[in-house]
Amino acid sequence: MARMATLLEASLKLVFAVGIRAALVVSGLFLLYVVIGISAVFLGWPALSYPIFSIEADPFFASGGAAVGLFIVQSSGAFVLYHILVGIEDDKSQLAILFGFISLGFGGALLRITLSQAIQVFLTLI
């Protein structure tokens, strides 16, 4: 039983590490897209065939938001499960789990808003 718990603990650490790194990379790219889009709107660059920053019409905005939400859910879910597995002993652990659940809710809400449109974009590409 101890070996299984050790394996689960190592797996959750790995999933968290991969998820947080991927979330940082995807969030950075998504933020770059937002900054470029805002600059394009203010500077009057050529208009696109779709309205920019529209969840229904902008495929990059919807798929970028869904990717950010997916990696946030992955990393925060692994973080919360890891802390529950190793135990909640002090106020720092309780605070860490509280913020883990908050980020899990944020990522889930972001997925709820953007995932259906991102799936439609992906299916049209296939």
Side-chain angles (χ1 to χ4, degrees):
M1 190 67 160
R3 182 178 170 166
M4 209 153 102
T6 305
L7 180 63
L8 182 60
E9 184 179 339
S11 299
L12 287 173
K13 278 184 181 179
L14 178 67
V15 168
F16 172 73
V18 168
I20 199 72
R21 286 181 178 103
L24 288 173
V25 169
V26 171
S27 297
L29 293 174
F30 185 69
L31 185 63
L32 182 66
Y33 175 74
V34 169
V35 168
I36 290 172
I38 290 172
S39 300
V41 168
F42 283 136
L43 296 175
W45 290 348
L48 298 172
S49 61
Y50 53 84
I52 196 163
F53 303 140
S54 169
I55 294 176
E56 292 84 21
D58 190 348
F60 300 108
F61 190 72
S63 56
V68 169
L70 180 70
F71 288 123
I72 288 175
V73 166
Q74 175 189 347
S75 60
S76 61
F79 180 77
V80 168
L81 287 175
Y82 174 77
H83 272 284
I84 289 173
L85 178 69
V86 298
I88 306 166
E89 296 155 0
D90 57 351
D91 291 339
K92 286 170 125 180
S93 296
Q94 290 177 357
L95 189 65
I97 287 182
L98 174 68
F99 282 115
F101 277 122
I102 289 170
S103 65
L104 191 62
F106 174 75
L110 187 58
L111 273 177
R112 174 134 169 74
I113 293 170
T114 59
L115 187 62
S116 63
Q117 184 60 30
I119 289 173
Q120 287 178 357
V121 167
F122 181 71
L123 291 177
T124 56
L125 293 176
I126 293 178

